[in-house]
Amino acid sequence: MLKSLRVRDLALIASADVSFGAGLNLLTGETGSGKSLVVDALTLSLGARASTDQVRHGSDRALVESVFEISDVPLATALLAEMGFDPEAEVVLSREIGGRGASRLNGRPASPGQLRQLGRLLVDVHGQHEHHSLQEPEAQTRLLDAFAGSQPELASVGTAHAAWRGAVEEQVRLERAKERGGRDREYMEWQRAELVKVDLRSGEDAELVAERTISRHAVRLTELTQTARVGLTGDEGPAQAAALVRSAAELDQRLAGLAGRLEVLAEEVSDITDELRRYGEGIDADPGRLEAIESRLAELESVKKRFG
């Protein structure tokens, strides 16, 4: 039941507060006194289409607010709960035209669509050119259910239908998740196959970079190590010096220690000379090997970029 209507700055109405009682309520007055505006204000509070042209001249916004007793309208209380509002015995619907254009249900933000949903259960407007809700199948069904007293069964069917819809939506979600899982599995299997095919080995790229450097400078490295080896084994090498000092030590025992140290040094130089010879012999100056290294490094770099 409509209890009251409050209107501010709507068309010709600066301010109006209208209270309604049980039974038949009549609004009378001369033509142009604003009777239709009261009805318009009510429909605006119930989510009807609004325009800033309806704001009273000189004002920047209009406000309409209607208060309903809904304790005897179980469908309305059920709808409030469904929309996330506390189901109370009294509901206040307010609407701002112009300004921020805010809509509220019991003081909480709501959309005009929510006001319309609730309004269809509370008010039916009849007029010469008005839409008659009795012609709507939904309204006819509500009236038939109310007449038959089938609200409990209706609520039970609604609960069951909601559960069924929830199950259907969950099934669809799971099927989509399964499809996504299948696609992810295929993608990861492809990634694994690609990585297995490349036959990665930890540290291989660093080793290849070092080998590439040697291969690129093979001639220079061979030249430098060969020169060093020749210098160590020449006539002025440590072995000759050790032999000379050993002979001198036979004449002066104070040189015996130096002779021993030179002999040790000569052995170390001999080992170094052998190492340099083996190193020089092991340098691979084959252009084919360098090309193979470059190709493998490019492949490894591609894998790093593609798979992180």
Side-chain angles (χ1 to χ4, degrees):
M1 181 187 80
L2 176 62
K3 295 181 66 177
S4 64
L5 181 67
R6 178 172 173 240
V7 187
R8 296 288 184 273
D9 296 315
L10 181 70
L12 300 176
I13 299 177
S15 176
D17 292 278
V18 186
S19 297
F20 299 89
L24 178 65
N25 292 259
L26 298 176
L27 297 174
T28 62
E30 299 178 357
T31 300
S33 61
K35 301 185 296 297
S36 297
L37 285 177
V38 174
V39 178
D40 290 343
L42 176 60
T43 58
L44 285 172
S45 73
L46 299 174
R49 186 182 297 276
S51 169
T52 53
D53 294 338
Q54 295 169 287
V55 178
R56 184 168 175 264
H57 181 69
S59 300
D60 57 356
R61 64 191 181 102
L63 175 70
V64 292
E65 183 178 276
S66 58
V67 181
F68 287 86
E69 170 69 40
I70 61 170
S71 57
D72 58 345
V73 190
L75 289 178
T77 55
L79 180 60
L80 278 177
E82 183 181 326
M83 291 190 300
F85 295 90
D86 295 331
E88 300 178 7
E90 189 173 276
V91 62
V92 180
L93 302 92
S94 60
R95 183 93 176 275
E96 185 180 89
I97 298 92
R100 290 179 299 173
S103 302
R104 295 185 179 276
L105 255 175
N106 284 345
R108 288 178 50 192
S111 67
Q114 289 176 316
L115 298 183
R116 283 193 295 274
Q117 279 184 276
L118 190 59
R120 281 195 289 267
L121 300 176
L122 301 176
V123 172
D124 193 10
V125 177
H126 297 270
Q128 183 177 1
H129 302 293
E130 295 286 349
H131 175 69
H132 293 256
S133 65
L134 285 176
Q135 296 177 357
E136 298 179 359
E138 183 181 350
Q140 296 167 0
T141 303
R142 286 201 307 269
L143 289 172
L144 184 60
D145 287 334
F147 180 75
S150 59
Q151 275 83 359
E153 290 82 1
L154 183 64
S156 177
V157 170
T159 301
H161 181 265
W164 173 75
R165 287 298 309 165
V168 169
E169 291 172 0
E170 178 66 9
Q171 181 183 11
V172 170
R173 187 189 69 80
L174 291 173
E175 288 174 349
R176 288 176 179 171
K178 182 180 178 181
E179 290 176 3
R180 286 196 303 271
R183 290 194 298 270
D184 290 344
R185 179 189 179 92
E186 290 178 3
Y187 177 63
M188 286 187 285
E189 286 178 345
W190 171 80
Q191 284 186 314
R192 180 181 180 277
E194 289 290 302
L195 291 171
V196 168
K197 183 170 62 177
V198 177
D199 190 23
L200 299 173
R201 179 170 58 81
S202 178
E204 180 185 7
D205 50 352
E207 294 173 8
L208 288 173
V209 167
E211 186 179 353
R212 178 179 63 182
T213 301
I214 294 171
S215 185
R216 283 177 173 176
H217 303 91
V219 174
R220 180 61 175 160
L221 285 170
T222 301
E223 177 185 334
L224 291 172
T225 54
Q226 177 68 14
T227 302
R229 187 168 63 83
V230 169
L232 289 171
T233 58
D235 293 339
E236 302 301 325
Q240 183 183 10
L244 293 172
V245 175
R246 175 61 65 189
S247 298
E250 293 175 358
L251 302 175
D252 186 350
Q253 286 298 314
R254 289 179 299 175
L255 296 174
L258 289 176
R261 289 166 62 187
L262 279 169
E263 288 169 354
V264 171
L265 178 60
E267 292 177 2
E268 182 68 16
V269 168
S270 178
D271 288 343
I272 291 173
T273 302
D274 290 340
E275 291 263 353
L276 287 172
R277 178 181 52 79
R278 288 193 294 272
Y279 174 83
E281 293 171 351
I283 293 176
D284 188 356
D286 180 12
R289 176 55 185 163
L290 179 58
E291 184 179 349
I293 292 173
E294 297 282 11
S295 176
R296 179 61 173 172
L297 283 172
E299 185 178 26
L300 294 178
E301 192 63 29
S302 174
V303 169
K304 290 179 185 178
K305 289 180 179 178
R306 288 163 60 200
F307 299 100

